[in-house]
């Protein structure tokens, strides 16, 4: 979650009082395993009534089914590839063992007709997602993604919950998914002309007057930064990539770069029958300007009793760094001209950089430096980090993240500690075209 951009956020304390949640853990029944079967294949994806595009789905749908998991309970996903091309599934944000990370670095791609079973125990409650990690610029655009929710034993429940996966899709004149736009798309990232929530163009959602809902939001777009507004009404941020934040923060908008998640408490709304926009406000992530665009609407339906209470304290997050931090590594996100390809996106001057190893248990303080003129959402696989500073300024609240926006010509200082999951890992820009163009690095976690 990236609303550490203080300029577009007014933070106020939450007035509601209640007991803090201290037990964030779960105690599974012995022997309990949650099993899913996922099958990737071509689908006719109905993006609006009567409007169908040929895409890639999981179990016949886009997004794929919501995987509902429990914190601390083994999860088993038997994945079969029925696509005409190889793929692999990445469990974005989940602290899985390296071998289960679902990248071409840790496993052989799953070829058409093959099955691979992913097994891991999700250690953290929160809103995660899964997506293709092969030929991403095509496969993710075509719809190969879904939400993965990991619930704590004592999960915070409000009056209702919505799981909303946002995406944009570029549809051409023939009504099909447009062909990749070459160098322009490679440079800017592919943005779409159809805005989708849970695979449907501009749907109408509903919420009962008087009620407060928990919304879990994922930005599955290839390149779009969503500056989310709900009709200009205030809502409360309660969680980000790695679960709940310490205390709710009331805002009127939140910025979600690609792959980012946010959990918000929405409502109560008073006027039955009112219709509010779910909008993406203007955001200039490079030279190109984007106007406000609509993702959907919310209709306020007849009043219902509310039993929801948003606690004033949600969770305690131990700061990883309390005094002056020694920076161990500088990760430079860059742009480079290339004779063969026109240009590349690079890390420390290299495409697909091989970075130094890190040691289990050793505090990592990294400066992620954006040397370019455009935003890049930095994503670390398999581990959470805390954001210490953005251009020298502390974030407004403490949180646990796996994606952070690095604004143009800016430095984001992060801290993380590799827990005992040795193996090959990676970090990259989550504008998938930039990742493909080389803005990524591999590194090893060693004991
Ligand atoms: Cu969403 Cu390499 O990740
Ligand atoms: Cu790579
Ligand atoms: Cu980028």
């Amino acid at each position: 979650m990236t609303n550490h951009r203080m300029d577009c956020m007014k933070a106020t304390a939450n007035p509601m009082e209640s007991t803090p949640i201290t037990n964030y853990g779960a105690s599974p029944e012995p022997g309990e395993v949650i099993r899913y079967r996922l099958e990737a294949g071509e689908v006719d994806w109905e993006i609006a009534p009567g409007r169908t595009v040929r895409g890639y789905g999981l179990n016949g749908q886009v997004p794929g089914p919501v995987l509902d998991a429990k914190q601390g309970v083994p999860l088993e996903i038997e994945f079969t590839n029925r696509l005409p091309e190889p793929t692999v599934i990445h469990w974005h944000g989940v602290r899985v063992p390296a071998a289960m990370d679902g990248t071409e670095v840790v496993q052989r791609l799953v070829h058409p007709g093959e099955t691979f079973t992913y097994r891991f125990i999700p250690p953290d409650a929160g809103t995660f997602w899964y997506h293709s990690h092969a030929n991403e610029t095509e496969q993710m655009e075509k719809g190969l993604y879904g939400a993965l929710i990991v619930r704590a034993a004592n999960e915070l429940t409000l009056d209702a919950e919505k799981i909303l996966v946002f995406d944009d899709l570029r549809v051409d004149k023939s009504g099909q998914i447009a062909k990749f736009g070459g160098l322009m798309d490679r440079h800017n990232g592919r943005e779409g002309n159809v805005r989708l929530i849970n695979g449907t163009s501009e749907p109408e959602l509903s919420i009962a007057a008087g009620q407060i809902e928990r919304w879990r939001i994922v930005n599955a777009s290839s390149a779009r930064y969503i500056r989310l507004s709900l009709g200009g009404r205030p809502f409360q941020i309660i969680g980000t990539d790695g679960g709940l934040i310490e205390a709710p923060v009331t805002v009127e908008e939140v910025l979600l770069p690609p792959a980012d998640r946010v959990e918000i408490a929405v409502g109560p709304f008073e006027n039955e029958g009112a219709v509010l926009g779910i909008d993406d406000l203007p955001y200039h992530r490079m030279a190109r300007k984007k106007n406000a665009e609509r993702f959907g609407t919310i209709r306020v339906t007849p009043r219902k009793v509310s039993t929801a209470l948003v606690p004033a304290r949600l969770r305690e997050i131990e700061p990883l760094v309390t005094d002056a931090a020694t920076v161990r590594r500088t990760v430079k996100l860059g742009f480079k001209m290339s004779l063969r390809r026109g240009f590349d996106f690079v890390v420390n001057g290299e495409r697909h950089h091989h970075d130094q190893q890190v040691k289990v248990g050793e505090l990592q303080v990294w400066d992620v430096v954006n040397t370019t003129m455009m935003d890049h959402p930095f994503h670390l696989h398999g581990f959470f980090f805390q954001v210490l500073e953005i251009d020298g300024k502390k974030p407004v609240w403490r949180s646990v993240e796996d994606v952070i926006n690095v604004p143009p010509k800016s430095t984001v200082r992060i801290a993380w500690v590799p827990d005992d999951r040795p193996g090959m890992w990676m970090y990259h820009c989550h504008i998938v075209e930039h990742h493909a163009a080389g803005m990524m690095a591999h590194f090893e976690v060693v004991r």
Side-chain angles (χ1 to χ4, degrees), residues 20 26 36 54 102 110-111 120 146 151 156 214 257 264 310 316 330 352 364 383 409 429 445:
Y36 281 98
R54 195 74 181 149
V110 183
H111 283 256
F120 52 87
R151 297 178 194 281
L156 168 67
R214 180 174 182 173
I264 59 180
V310 181
E316 302 306 323
T330 301
H352 305 282
Q364 300 295 314
F383 301 88
K409 300 284 174 196
C429 173
V445 172

Side-chain angles (χ1 to χ4, degrees), residues 19 24 33 65 115 130 148 159 183 189 196 209 221 265 276 298 307 320 350 381 413 432 438:
T19 25
Y24 205 58
V33 178
T115 295
Y130 58 95
L148 164 57
D159 291 315
L183 280 189
L196 310 158
S221 317
L276 307 170
I298 313 168
T307 55
L320 288 174
E350 269 191 321
H381 272 225
R413 181 166 294 172
V432 294

Side-chain angles (χ1 to χ4, degrees), residues 91-212:
W91 313 96
H92 183 122
V94 185
R95 293 193 295 139
V96 296
M100 292 291 130
D101 195 37
T103 70
E104 68 286 11
V105 179
V106 296
Q107 76 175 91
R108 199 179 141 266
L109 294 182
V110 183
H111 283 256
E114 290 180 352
T115 295
F116 182 91
T117 302
Y118 293 93
R119 289 189 180 87
F120 52 87
I121 302 173
D124 308 284
T127 300
F128 303 97
W129 64 304
Y130 58 95
H131 62 78
S132 154
H133 215 280
N135 190 16
E136 287 161 64
T137 55
E138 295 297 329
Q139 295 190 3
M140 283 176 67
E141 176 76 357
K142 286 183 172 166
L144 223 47
Y145 61 76
L148 164 57
I149 308 301
V150 182
R151 297 178 194 281
N154 56 348
E155 192 63 60
L156 168 67
T157 51
L158 302 178
D159 291 315
E161 179 187 79
K162 286 184 174 55
I163 298 163
L164 306 174
V165 184
F166 284 55
D167 187 14
D168 65 350
L169 189 65
R170 193 187 296 161
V171 173
D172 67 14
K173 290 206 183 68
S174 77
Q176 289 301 313
I177 298 177
K179 290 245 152 4
F180 192 71
L183 280 189
M184 260 308 253
D185 279 353
R186 191 162 180 266
H187 184 270
N188 297 343
R190 166 153 52 179
E191 285 195 28
N193 50 7
V194 175
R195 290 156 308 277
L196 310 158
I197 298 178
N198 294 345
T200 301
S201 165
E202 298 178 48
E204 182 180 280
L205 313 179
S206 61
I207 180 168
Q211 290 207 321
I212 305 175

Side-chain angles (χ1 to χ4, degrees), residues 345 374-377 429-431 434-435 439:
F345 285 97
M374 61 202 297
D375 292 78
H376 299 288
C429 173
H430 218 293
I431 290 177
H434 293 177
H435 178 197
M439 192 175 269

Side-chain angles (χ1 to χ4, degrees), residues 162 164 197 203-208 213 215 228-231 233 235 264 266-267 269 271 273-279 294-301:
K162 286 184 174 55
L164 306 174
I197 298 178
E204 182 180 280
L205 313 179
S206 61
I207 180 168
E213 296 188 351
W215 289 13
L228 180 69
S229 153
L230 303 179
R233 306 298 182 84
F235 53 87
I264 59 180
V266 177
F269 299 117
N271 303 333
V275 176
L276 307 170
I278 304 175
D279 293 316
R294 183 144 287 183
F295 266 89
T297 49
I298 313 168
R299 177 174 296 274
V300 183
T301 55

